[in-house]
Amino acid sequence: MEIVKNAFENAMTQLTKIAKIKDFGEEFLTRMSVPDRDIRISIPVKMDDGSLKIFEGYRVEYNNTLGPYKGGIRYHTEMEINEIKALAFWMTLKCAVAGIPMGGGKGGITVDPKKLSKGELERLSREWTRKLSDILGPHKDVPAPDVNTTPEIMAWIADEFGKITGDTTGAVITGKPLEQGGSEGRSTSTAQGGFYVFEALKKELKLENKIRVVIQGFGNAGSNAAIIWNKAGHKILAISDSKGAVYNEDGLEIKKLLEHKKNTGSLSDFPNSKNISNEELLELECDLLIPAAFENQITEKNANKIKAKVILELANSPTTPKADEILFKKGISIVPDILANSGGVTVSYFEWDQNLKNEHWSEKEVFDKLEPLLQDASKEISKKAQELNTSLRNGAFILALERIKDKMRG
Ligand code: NAD
């Protein structure tokens, strides 16, 4: 039975595996197996009832060889330092893969934001910023939204940072509302970026012109993927959310499905479709499976039952290392998360760039810049994987590590 280890152990298992394919030297691997900084803070917040509550906050700054640390902040009750370290490690590689001048970080607060009033949430976010204001900054560490953090929270953090330091460019954080310096295209950038990667690799992955797609997850990444792939003429056979999945072998009508979800709160019982379970969805026969929900969805347990020709990981870490090996042996190609979902962080970088230059680009300008970046990254990774006769995931890791090692001094 595969034990799903803590995420950081998974990340380090990947690093050890890579070291067997390409010799990066002991010193470099030792550097890459620890974060530069791993900070835990106490955040006192005056609650609405007058009491004082202390929350625990974090920031992991993994590596800044290629540029300022970059990575989201999540508000969750099950925040765990090893998970944040792993996410910060993957962010380091993701930025390197996308070819943007950013390093990797991640952070957050142990809290269920739904249990706080808006005022409490704002005081908590501002205090997190005050406690970390020395290490944050446009040229030091630039956070972004992640699970349960919103554009409004990003705006509070930018505002608080501006008050403390006098830097009002907003470039200390990305994912802000448009009126407060956010970028056009940020909300659809992850799915759109995934589509550019898919287009760049389609031929090599031996996919037909029009294909059958199955999507797990109907949130930001999943619903935008459904819209984008469908608009390009592909058939979306099935989609799931946390409550279940719907399936139609002739293809789902995405516009109507979006309305149905809005009206009923779930995908289930969508007219002209069959309700199926999330497990069944993952095992459907299709050309492209897009996991866009959570980590560890494809494991040793179900990897043998996957019938998709290609998996494109919009979610972070949806495939465990053991499942990865099984799928590779079965000949199922995986377009890895650090490439497939890197459109999100790339447009975040565009936001930072616009803030520093005091510019505002149109959505067309944003996507015109995103497409060639991701096409180049896809082609380079594919070349690397072919040269070393390995998977795209290993190719992506190796390319990222090479870029970091080339620039690392001392
Ligand atoms: P989200 O919260 O908007 O959506 C998550 C979706 O998954 C929801 O529809 C939810 O109902 C569904 N879901 C939850 N449990 C499920 C289950 N067991 N089976 C099927 N569906 C389930 O989140 P998101 O922003 O779309 O992120 C999804 C994934 O993509 C995450 O792994 C995230 O880290 C990754 N990602 C997102 C972005 C981004 O810009 N949004 C960028 C990079 C990576």
Side-chain angles (χ1 to χ4, degrees):
M1 205 12 223
E2 180 176 10
I3 300 163
V4 178
K5 297 187 199 153
N6 87 45
F8 192 62
E9 281 180 50
N10 271 349
M12 291 305 105
T13 304
Q14 288 172 327
L15 192 61
T16 313
K17 224 169 104 185
I18 293 303
K20 288 186 184 140
I21 303 171
K22 174 156 183 170
D23 183 11
F24 280 97
E26 197 67 26
E27 261 186 33
F28 176 68
L29 292 176
T30 306
R31 284 283 296 273
M32 290 309 294
S33 59
V34 283
D36 288 344
R37 262 203 278 215
D38 152 2
I39 299 163
R40 283 174 233 209
I41 52 171
S42 302
I43 314 169
V45 175
K46 203 64 159 175
M47 305 305 278
D48 289 350
D49 65 4
S51 65
L52 183 83
K53 207 166 167 188
I54 310 282
F55 293 88
E56 191 168 22
Y58 311 85
R59 187 71 185 163
V60 172
E61 296 185 331
Y62 206 93
N63 187 286
N64 65 350
T65 303
L66 297 180
Y69 302 102
K70 180 100 198 75
I73 38 183
R74 65 175 53 173
Y75 288 2
H76 205 278
T77 47
E78 280 156 38
M79 285 278 291
E80 202 266 316
I81 194 73
N82 280 305
E83 192 181 0
I84 305 173
K85 273 164 60 181
L87 291 165
F89 170 77
W90 286 319
M91 278 306 294
T92 307
L93 301 188
K94 197 181 292 186
C95 293
V97 155
I100 59 176
M102 291 281 169
K106 204 85 185 185
I109 302 174
T110 307
V111 62
D112 178 356
K114 289 188 197 97
K115 294 205 172 127
L116 299 190
S117 71
K118 194 168 165 181
E120 289 167 340
L121 193 61
E122 178 170 351
R123 292 195 288 283
L124 176 67
S125 305
R126 286 184 182 274
E127 191 59 27
W128 182 89
T129 315
R130 263 196 291 274
K131 284 267 168 124
L132 293 174
S133 62
D134 281 349
I135 65 156
L136 301 177
H139 299 288
K140 294 195 220 165
D141 184 343
V142 185
D146 194 73
V147 178
N148 291 336
T149 49
T150 59
E152 188 177 36
I153 295 175
M154 302 303 111
W156 291 331
I157 293 176
D159 181 64
E160 192 62 31
F161 185 80
K163 281 186 186 151
I164 298 165
T165 64
D167 179 336
T168 52
T169 58
V172 63
I173 197 159
T174 59
K176 301 178 292 295
L178 277 180
E179 318 75 61
Q180 264 106 21
S183 179
E184 304 286 346
R186 175 62 190 91
S187 56
T188 53
S189 57
T190 300
Q192 188 63 55
F195 186 73
Y196 292 147
V197 170
F198 159 79
E199 286 278 292
L201 297 176
K202 200 163 77 179
K203 233 182 174 172
E204 176 195 322
L205 294 168
K206 300 190 177 65
L207 291 173
E208 305 282 323
N209 253 342
K210 297 290 172 225
I211 59 160
R212 298 161 306 151
V213 184
V214 166
I215 302 174
Q216 184 198 39
F218 203 54
N220 175 294
S223 67
N224 283 308
I227 295 167
I228 292 166
W229 261 266
N230 192 230
K231 205 171 152 203
H234 304 293
K235 226 182 241 181
I236 315 295
L237 300 190
I239 304 187
S240 60
D241 62 12
S242 55
K243 294 177 195 139
V246 285
Y247 170 65
N248 179 339
E249 63 178 346
D250 295 323
L252 297 162
E253 285 189 77
I254 303 305
K255 257 194 193 156
K256 288 193 180 156
L257 187 60
L258 283 160
E259 271 169 39
H260 176 79
K261 167 96 186 181
K262 205 168 144 200
N263 295 337
T264 67
S266 106
L267 296 172
S268 307
D269 303 325
F270 180 55
N272 300 323
S273 76
K274 196 173 137 195
N275 290 335
I276 60 170
S277 69
N278 249 309
E279 291 72 36
E280 287 171 308
L281 170 129
L282 290 174
E283 295 162 14
L284 284 173
E285 201 187 312
C286 63
D287 300 302
L288 184 69
L289 172 63
I290 304 182
F294 279 113
E295 60 272 22
N296 299 332
Q297 295 301 301
I298 304 174
T299 67
E300 193 186 28
K301 268 190 184 165
N302 59 1
N304 259 318
K305 299 183 201 150
I306 304 282
K307 295 182 207 74
K309 285 188 189 142
V310 174
I311 297 172
L312 183 132
E313 298 179 333
L314 279 191
N316 278 317
S317 202
T319 315
T320 62
K322 264 268 161 58
D324 212 37
E325 281 170 26
I326 297 171
L327 295 167
F328 187 66
K329 279 186 197 140
K330 271 172 68 106
I332 296 176
S333 302
I334 301 181
V335 184
D337 48 5
I338 61 169
L339 170 65
N341 69 30
S342 65
V345 70
T346 305
V347 174
S348 277
Y349 154 66
F350 291 164
E351 177 176 333
W352 173 86
D353 201 22
Q354 291 170 76
N355 294 156
L356 288 177
K357 293 175 175 156
N358 199 17
E359 290 176 357
H360 187 82
W361 307 341
S362 68
E363 186 176 280
K364 182 173 179 316
E365 278 175 277
V366 167
F367 288 138
D368 282 352
K369 288 177 204 280
L370 181 65
E371 187 170 7
L373 261 181
L374 294 187
Q375 273 175 349
D376 289 352
S378 306
K379 284 180 188 146
E380 283 196 56
I381 285 167
S382 146
K383 202 168 131 214
K384 186 67 59 192
Q386 280 171 19
E387 266 168 33
L388 297 166
N389 191 23
T390 188
S391 64
L392 288 171
R393 190 185 313 281
N394 292 345
F397 263 67
I398 290 168
L399 182 76
L401 292 170
E402 282 175 351
R403 286 180 172 168
I404 297 166
K405 191 176 176 198
D406 281 352
K407 202 153 176 245
M408 201 178 259
R409 300 276 176 273

